[in-house]
Amino acid sequence: MRLLKQLLPVGVVSVVGGLCVSAVQGNPFLALLFGAVVAVLAVLTYAKVVRWSERRAPVEVAGEDARAGLGRGTLLG
């Protein structure tokens, strides 16, 4: 049941965000912007759900290593 409580909010953000991105599919700049906003919202939603359901800090999405991780991910991508 806990998995469902965690997966449902993040899934809703992803589905609604995906619909918003596909609505602006003809404009690459808006699609990129909406995609980035949806990604940030999904991570923030996940962090909030983990704090609520597991009563712990979501260290897997902590901001301390975000800059280095973003750099590595960008280079690999």
Side-chain angles (χ1 to χ4, degrees), residues 17 20-40:
C20 291
V21 169
S22 65
V24 294
Q25 192 173 10
N27 188 337
F29 176 74
L30 280 179
L32 179 65
L33 181 66
F34 280 20
V37 169
V38 169
V40 169

Side-chain angles (χ1 to χ4, degrees), residues 33-74:
L33 181 66
F34 280 20
V37 169
V38 169
V40 169
L41 284 176
V43 169
L44 291 176
T45 302
Y46 170 77
K48 188 76 162 176
V49 166
V50 166
R51 279 190 204 99
W52 170 73
S53 67
E54 296 184 10
R55 294 175 184 83
R56 68 171 179 88
V59 295
E60 58 272 14
V61 292
E64 292 88 26
D65 296 330
R67 187 173 297 159
L70 182 64
R72 280 193 307 270
T74 302

